[in-house]
Amino acid sequence: MHKVTISDVAHEAGVSLQTVSRAINNKAEISPATRERILKISSEMGFRPSSLARNLATQQTTTIGIIVPDIANPFFSEIVRGAGDLADTKSYHVLLCNTDEDTRHEMSALESLLEKQVDGVILCSLRLEETDFLKTLDQFSAAVLINRDLSSPMQRVRTIAIDDRRGGFTAVNHLLAAGHRKIGFLVGPERSESGANRLKGYCDGLIEYSVRIDQDLVLYCEPSIAGGIHAANKLFESQQDVTGVLCFNDLTAIGAMKACSESGLDVPDDIAIIGFDDILFASFITPALTTMRIPTREIGTSAMRLLIDLMEDRVTTDSRIEFQMELVVRESAP
Amino acid sequence: MHKVTISDVAHEAGVSLQTVSRAINNKAEISPATRERILKISSEMGFRPSSLARNLATQQTTTIGIIVPDIANPFFSEIVRGAGDLADTKSYHVLLCNTDEDTRHEMSALESLLEKQVDGVILCSLRLEETDFLKTLDQFSAAVLINRDLSSPMQRVRTIAIDDRRGGFTAVNHLLAAGHRKIGFLVGPERSESGANRLKGYCDGLIEYSVRIDQDLVLYCEPSIAGGIHAANKLFESQQDVTGVLCFNDLTAIGAMKACSESGLDVPDDIAIIGFDDILFASFITPALTTMRIPTREIGTSAMRLLIDLMEDRVTTDSRIEFQMELVVRESAP
DNA sequence: CTGTTAGCGCCTTCAT
DNA sequence: ATGAAGGCGCTAACAG
């Protein structure tokens, strides 16, 4: 069974290639009668236009690349879902890449998306140094960064930011107001901009309460449950009078709570814990997790909307979009 | 800045198009010296071969389509992660589609993947009727179904199955052995084959214990937390002496537990609850969820491995692969 | 080992 | 409103 092409249809319909092309692309310069006839014939023949050929001719792929550290992390799967939903409604396709926060993976993902000639990319929590990815990024016709700012603006690149500094401030403030003074921070991966900015907010809060900033209370960690367990244990070993801990994300917070229970520490009586993200499960774990809610799905749809606007030259704004977090008080830090 | 093509490189190097093509594709018929020279020149010029053109010429895309109901569901995001990891190591790309279990979405996703000429597809928990998707499926050069059997074997299609019937049996057996006799089952979406098979296992178990099968104890539900809440409430309304509930997945189980707590029912003292999947969070919620573990990530990698074997004509087995579930006893059904 | 000649399947531009 | 020619960027098949 030979695949049916546009010329097969043309032959069958007794018209030229062109006319068929016009019919299937809803072009104006064609009589309704012949269009109907051709459409009928082509569907009878099971004709399916090849995107490949079309993309090569038009130099457009209607495909968006999305690069995330880990799709199994609910934070990113929500973003990808949001982005995917909007892509669907606009008839774009999504090419997904996981990087595990490995900068070499990030780089090779970028290059293969470039070769695939995607119309645009969405990059989540990129860890690459700016000098390392700028030249590559510049070759895309449009890009949106989530959780990552550029030192200087670029033509067709925009950022979806989260106000991490303020979020960090709000979180630590909640603990400070409750009387905590020795507050640890499992601040996430070293190269995370979110982590760095939340740390600034954390410092802002401490300063406001005239609490001395102690570097030993701040630990890097992997953004996973295992990472949380590990870092929390290290924290508790060296700092025995910590009464509150901020965690890079909810997974880390779950890990920290696990470390607490393994060390016989009660949450929240001995240690108060606050996460970031508010993943679906935050309210179902015990104690229910107090956390900074981030509107992940909305961020995903916004990113995709912004990207498509960029691609289609409809950029309404030249500034970055910034989302705010919202403190959700539950049991782990009442 | 005009994009540099293979002929630009050829011109610059003073060789033919072909020679450049050979160099970049590591073909044998070329002298090491000229290969090196061409490679050097092409990288200096920033040449990046166009996948589009290459794919059109070779009729291969090194791209796999994956269709899932919802990437934000941890069950599927784990599968996609597993599949993506293997795809990476084999230099394949992944095109992702969400369907929300909507059969029209499923169909349009299939068709657009066909137009994109992906080399293969992985279909998770497809809800389409077999008669509706068979003809389309047949047009792919390879496909792997997860959670879905075919009534008759197809050339280049394989199934990754989970032994749902046995899983359902094991689950209900755990409750029966603990003395429960009135056991509800929130059995998932109507068109779910997994649900249907688990139901069979549930019946097997009841029969073995000579317990009458009561249709009123079996309710369809959406595979989400909200779906679990809704269905559990309906169940509790009509059947007040239920002491155990099997739930389609862990999300549904979490919903059912929420319904319990809202109705003042204690889990597990008043009602024992068992889920399916063992998502990452099952052990962290309270009470910790007893559930049937499904090796999701492994299923993802197996699916991708099988698919690539199919595509590359290396099918070692012509039979379906079946995974077993494993009962993980925690607090919700001790 | 290297070059030439044909496509891959479609779209764009210009005629008619 | 329709058709013919040329090209998108690359690879396959054959020559030399």
Side-chain angles (χ1 to χ4, degrees):
Chain A
M1 171 185 120
H2 162 256
K3 205 188 325 170
V4 17
T5 76
I6 201 170
S7 79
D8 297 329
V9 177
H11 188 83
E12 186 72 19
V15 294
S16 80
L17 259 171
Q18 246 9 269
T19 310
V20 178
S21 172
R22 280 167 187 131
I24 61 177
N25 287 312
N26 270 310
K27 296 284 183 184
E29 319 89 348
I30 186 176
S31 75
T34 55
R35 155 176 304 131
E36 291 313 315
R37 194 168 63 84
I38 290 174
L39 254 31
K40 181 155 174 292
I41 291 175
S42 81
S43 95
E44 280 169 5
M45 297 179 72
F47 168 62
R48 218 183 284 282
S50 155
S51 309
L52 243 44
R54 176 177 289 169
N55 293 343
L56 183 60
T58 60
Q59 292 298 88
Q60 294 209 114
T61 54
T62 59
T63 300
I64 308 290
I66 303 187
I67 300 183
V68 295
D70 178 16
I71 190 68
N73 178 331
F75 180 78
F76 296 113
S77 66
E78 280 290 335
I79 289 179
V80 171
R81 184 61 155 92
D85 283 354
L86 195 71
D88 258 7
T89 71
K90 305 271 186 181
S91 298
Y92 280 94
H93 304 105
V94 168
L95 218 37
L96 180 71
C97 311
N98 292 291
T99 64
D100 275 321
E101 306 197 308
D102 179 321
T103 51
R104 273 166 315 177
H105 280 198
E106 291 182 341
M107 204 60 207
S108 66
L110 280 172
E111 305 216 303
S112 76
L113 289 178
L114 221 38
E115 289 178 4
K116 284 236 157 210
Q117 287 177 251
V118 295
D119 294 341
V121 276
I122 295 179
L123 310 174
C124 298
S125 306
L126 206 65
R127 300 285 180 243
L128 276 166
E129 299 277 354
E130 194 168 305
T131 50
D132 292 331
F133 73 79
L134 233 50
K135 254 170 74 183
T136 309
L137 188 62
D138 195 43
Q139 297 179 54
F140 287 95
S141 50
V144 169
L145 305 185
I146 293 180
N147 262 346
R148 175 75 183 240
D149 266 303
L150 255 30
S151 59
S152 58
M154 287 175 70
Q155 274 272 280
R156 305 183 125 239
V157 181
R158 293 295 182 279
T159 285
I160 304 270
I162 300 163
D163 193 342
D164 287 298
R165 182 164 189 165
R166 184 151 160 197
F169 176 79
T170 305
V172 78
N173 201 58
H174 180 65
L175 293 181
L176 288 164
H180 297 274
R181 287 299 176 269
K182 189 127 185 182
I183 302 169
F185 197 170
L186 312 186
V187 74
E190 269 191 70
R191 296 224 20 78
S192 166
E193 244 183 50
S194 299
N197 288 327
R198 289 171 196 174
L199 183 60
K200 286 182 194 160
Y202 164 90
C203 294
D204 294 344
L206 293 181
I207 290 168
E208 201 166 295
Y209 273 77
S210 308
V211 176
R212 193 178 65 83
I213 294 167
D214 182 354
Q215 281 300 337
D216 295 338
L217 288 170
V218 178
L219 275 72
Y220 292 117
C221 65
E222 303 254 297
S224 62
I225 293 180
I229 295 177
H230 182 73
N233 279 332
K234 241 171 67 182
L235 178 67
F236 298 153
E237 268 171 37
S238 66
Q239 307 287 328
Q240 283 154 1
D241 42 357
V242 171
T243 65
V245 181
L246 259 44
C247 300
F248 178 66
N249 62 15
D250 289 346
L251 296 178
T252 326
I254 290 173
M257 296 207 299
K258 178 133 190 165
C260 286
S261 76
E262 282 170 359
S263 307
L265 296 167
D266 183 81
V267 178
D269 288 348
D270 299 325
I271 307 238
I273 289 192
I274 299 185
F276 283 82
D277 291 357
D278 194 28
I279 60 176
L280 185 55
F281 305 95
S283 60
F284 296 102
I285 61 181
T286 301
L289 191 61
T290 294
T291 187
M292 299 299 301
R293 173 176 299 162
I294 299 176
T296 40
R297 191 167 295 211
E298 195 185 341
I299 287 175
T301 58
S302 296
M304 185 59 83
R305 185 175 304 116
L306 182 54
L307 182 65
I308 293 178
D309 283 348
L310 274 169
M311 293 175 349
E312 297 177 354
D313 284 315
R314 266 187 286 94
V315 199
T316 50
T317 165
D318 56 354
S319 57
R320 58 210 276 282
I321 296 180
E322 187 168 76
F323 284 86
Q324 291 297 330
M325 305 181 196
E326 182 193 350
L327 175 66
V328 181
V329 179
R330 299 202 183 91
E331 298 162 6
S332 71
Chain B
M1 168 185 125
H2 164 254
K3 206 187 326 167
V4 15
T5 76
I6 201 171
S7 78
D8 297 329
V9 177
H11 188 83
E12 186 70 21
V15 295
S16 80
L17 267 179
Q18 223 21 253
T19 309
V20 177
S21 172
R22 280 168 186 132
I24 62 177
N25 288 310
N26 269 311
K27 296 284 183 182
E29 319 90 347
I30 187 176
S31 76
T34 56
R35 156 175 305 131
E36 290 313 316
R37 194 168 63 82
I38 291 175
L39 253 31
K40 182 155 173 289
I41 290 176
S42 80
S43 95
E44 279 170 5
M45 297 178 72
F47 169 63
R48 216 183 284 283
S50 155
S51 309
L52 243 44
R54 176 178 288 168
N55 293 343
L56 183 60
T58 60
Q59 292 298 88
Q60 292 208 119
T61 53
T62 59
T63 300
I64 308 291
I66 303 187
I67 299 183
V68 295
D70 178 15
I71 189 68
N73 178 333
F75 180 77
F76 296 112
S77 66
E78 280 289 337
I79 288 179
V80 171
R81 185 60 157 91
D85 283 354
L86 196 71
D88 259 8
T89 71
K90 305 270 187 183
S91 298
Y92 280 94
H93 304 106
V94 168
L95 217 38
L96 180 71
C97 311
N98 292 291
T99 64
D100 275 322
E101 305 197 308
D102 179 319
T103 51
R104 274 166 314 176
H105 280 198
E106 290 181 342
M107 204 58 208
S108 66
L110 280 171
E111 306 216 303
S112 74
L113 290 178
L114 221 38
E115 290 178 4
K116 285 236 155 210
Q117 288 177 250
V118 294
D119 293 342
V121 275
I122 294 178
L123 310 174
C124 298
S125 306
L126 206 64
R127 299 287 179 241
L128 276 165
E129 299 277 354
E130 192 168 306
T131 50
D132 292 331
F133 73 79
L134 234 49
K135 255 170 71 184
T136 309
L137 188 62
D138 196 44
Q139 298 179 55
F140 287 94
S141 49
V144 169
L145 305 184
I146 293 180
N147 261 347
R148 176 74 184 241
D149 266 305
L150 255 31
S151 59
S152 57
M154 287 175 69
Q155 274 272 283
R156 307 184 122 237
V157 182
R158 293 294 182 277
T159 285
I160 303 270
I162 300 163
D163 193 343
D164 287 299
R165 184 164 188 164
R166 184 151 160 196
F169 176 79
T170 305
V172 78
N173 201 58
H174 180 64
L175 292 180
L176 288 163
H180 296 274
R181 287 300 175 270
K182 189 128 184 182
I183 300 169
F185 197 170
L186 312 186
V187 74
E190 269 191 70
R191 294 223 24 76
S192 166
E193 244 183 50
S194 299
N197 288 326
R198 289 171 195 175
L199 184 59
K200 286 182 193 160
Y202 163 90
C203 293
D204 293 345
L206 293 180
I207 289 168
E208 201 165 296
Y209 273 77
S210 307
V211 176
R212 192 178 67 81
I213 294 167
D214 181 353
Q215 282 299 337
D216 295 338
L217 288 171
V218 179
L219 274 71
Y220 292 117
C221 66
E222 304 253 299
S224 62
I225 293 181
I229 296 176
H230 182 72
N233 279 331
K234 242 170 69 181
L235 177 67
F236 297 153
E237 268 171 36
S238 66
Q239 308 287 327
Q240 283 154 1
D241 40 358
V242 171
T243 65
V245 181
L246 260 43
C247 300
F248 178 66
N249 63 15
D250 290 345
L251 295 179
T252 326
I254 291 173
M257 296 207 299
K258 178 133 190 165
C260 286
S261 77
E262 282 170 0
S263 305
L265 296 167
D266 184 81
V267 179
D269 288 348
D270 298 326
I271 307 237
I273 290 192
I274 299 185
F276 283 81
D277 290 356
D278 194 28
I279 59 176
L280 184 57
F281 305 94
S283 60
F284 297 101
I285 60 181
T286 302
L289 192 60
T290 294
T291 187
M292 299 299 301
R293 173 176 298 163
I294 299 176
T296 40
R297 190 168 295 212
E298 194 185 341
I299 287 175
T301 57
S302 296
M304 185 59 82
R305 183 175 305 115
L306 181 54
L307 182 66
I308 294 178
D309 282 348
L310 274 170
M311 293 176 346
E312 298 177 353
D313 284 316
R314 266 187 286 94
V315 199
T316 49
T317 165
D318 58 354
S319 57
R320 58 209 276 284
I321 296 179
E322 185 168 77
F323 283 86
Q324 291 298 329
M325 304 181 198
E326 181 193 350
L327 175 66
V328 180
V329 179
R330 298 202 184 91
E331 299 162 5
S332 70

